[in-house]
Amino acid sequence: MTYPQVLLQNRKPDRIATLEEYQQSGGYQALEDVLHNYSYKDLQEVLIDAVLLGRGGAAFPAGMKLRTVAEDAPFPRYLVCNADEMEPGTFKDRVLIHADPHMLIEGIIIDGYGAKAEKGIIFIRPEYESAARILEREIKIAKEAGFLGKKILGSDHSMEIVVHRSGGRYICGEVTAQLNALMGKRPNPQQPPPYPTEKGLWGMPTVLQNVETLANIPHIIRNGVEWYKNLAKTETGAGTKLFCVSGRVNKPGCFELPMGVRLSEIIEVHAGGMPAGSEYKACLPGGASTRYLPKEFYDIEMDFDPMREVGHRLGTGAIMVFDQKTCLVGATLNLTEFFARESCGWCTPCREGLPYIRDLLLRLEEGEGREEFIPMLQQMSKHLWSSYCAFAPGATSPVESLITYFEDEVREHITQKKCPFK
Amino acid sequence: MLPAELKESLTEHIASVDHPRELVVDIMFAIQDQFGYLSDEAVEEVAQLLNMSPLEVEELATFYTFIYREPVGKYVIHVCDSVICWMDGYESIRDHLCNKLGVEMGETTSDGLFTLLPVCCIGYCDRSPAILINKKVYGPLTPEKLDDILENLRAQG
Ligand SMILES: Cc1cc2nc3c(=O)[nH]c(=O)nc-3n(C[C@H](O)[C@H](O)[C@H](O)COP(=O)(O)O)c2cc1C
Ligand code: SF4
Ligand code: FES
């Protein structure tokens, strides 16, 4: 089964698409069109009609976000591109930047126009130093070609883009923490109001979007809303999605597929199926902060709505596949270690609660678990929902769903006084 | 403590932006690249350059994974220990590194060449188990491949 490639249409095994190659595939035509034929409000409307939902995990409509910047909001306004991508299992933004950096650059300039933002900032994790260098080089090339700078292509819109390197911490991916990081402050989250689109970077209106979200924008402009919606397999969905597949599959990788493609097809067809002797037990469908998706959902349509309807989240679409031989208590212990380490430490439920959960899981895994640990894990997970930011509820997703779907496996650790997989 | 040339280029960079503080991570990285890590003196230096208090710099320096507040080896090896690398056996990679180099995680070899540190998912889960050496990725790894990599680095000194 092959599907239209949009975001990865110029992907090559060993190098980026050059500016010329991007332009040959229609690149920068959307920018020209928008700057001359669209008001910034037209642009917002098109993105809303196209149902472009944020690809960074929260699925907020991109056009609506632009619209929350008030008409009379002060200048300068900022557009931040979130290339932090620290959600375990997720590597789509890396693949996209290494395939076609100008697609992202064009997306940033157009989105910037939609917010009347003249300063673009790409916030990128230190592990992606090669991507950061590619972007710096290609931004210069785009500028020399007249796509960046003052009065772009003879319009009223001006824009500069800079690359900002992170020092590396998961919480920097969260919007408000990222803004603090950009301002040289300790990257603690900041509960709204004020919302970043009202008072963000340096107190100015700031729109923040994920890499993949921004890369969609030129295509929507060039090919139209109907075309974009028709890319999806689901009625309510739109566009394609970059699915990263890892874990127990034969061909781990990043695949561009229609929004709403079935999980079973992604695993069996695109990721090469599972290795001999491995059977599907569960996956985390959208990064470490989503819930285990057990076998009963193996055929689910991978789109925001169908997932939400069954109490799950699509997250970043990073599918981590576990087989019947993998201990999910062990996996959840590992995930909780991650969250306990990466907690920013600002608020007590998260800072204290995660090590507590980790300790319970560790004792279970080592055969020292007791029956009352199960309700304790559930209760602690609930407590974490009163934390300051969305990090902690995300961190409890694997724990809570472990008990919801795999309570028997947890209990076996208790009755056998050891990990049954060892 | 900074070489005049570096200080000049940093000062120039700082003068060219609207909000000097936004450069704090860049400045920390630049000084770290020069000396390998960020000493107490370096923290003071960063603070002075950016008109921040040393405490404000310190709370960032200790927050970020890739800023080292203690001396490290010439090659800093970050071993990914998140869930996909866990499934694919990062533990044997870690143990092999520790044995081969004769140090524990968090330590530096006595010849000052290698430092071992854990790190969470580095975004190369399609190449797990994966590690970073001086921010360059290697994976999927086996003990044999690791031996080759270490030997090559040793040969370069
Ligand atoms: C703890 C935490 C970590 C996050 N990390 C990222 C990230 O690495 N990249 C990203 O794009 N969004 C991340 N997000 C989501 C952002 O807060 C935000 O919703 C998103 O970047 C907005 O862009 P979008 O609407 O285009 O998705 C994270 C959220 C939380 C709570
Ligand atoms: S929930 Fe965790 S990450 Fe969020 S503010 Fe509290 S301590 Fe920090
Ligand atoms: S889990 Fe190791 S690179 Fe993602």
Side-chain angles (χ1 to χ4, degrees), chain A residues 171 189 343-347 350-351 387-389 391-392:
Chain A
I171 194 61
S343 163
C344 87
W346 175 252
C347 70
C350 174
R351 184 184 61 240
S387 298
Y388 188 71
C389 84
F391 171 99

Side-chain angles (χ1 to χ4, degrees), chain A residues 76-87:
Chain A
R77 302 173 183 180
Y78 295 94
L79 184 92
V80 178
C81 165
N82 190 346
D84 199 43
E85 188 157 70
M86 281 196 61
E87 187 69 38

Side-chain angles (χ1 to χ4, degrees), chain A residues 51-65 209-210 213 241 259 303-305 307-308 312-316:
Chain A
V51 201
L52 173 61
L53 304 180
R55 303 293 200 248
F60 192 82
M64 295 294 279
K65 198 181 286 183
Q209 305 275 192
N210 171 260
T213 317
K241 178 82 194 77
M259 189 66 97
D303 190 356
F304 298 106
D305 281 347
M307 291 290 276
R308 203 162 20 224
H312 283 267
R313 283 198 318 117
L314 184 67
T316 62

Side-chain angles (χ1 to χ4, degrees), chain A residues 332-352:
Chain A
T332 310
L333 170 61
N334 178 285
L335 292 159
T336 309
E337 291 264 16
F338 163 81
F339 286 114
R341 190 195 291 164
E342 291 301 317
S343 163
C344 87
W346 175 252
C347 70
T348 316
C350 174
R351 184 184 61 240
E352 301 290 330

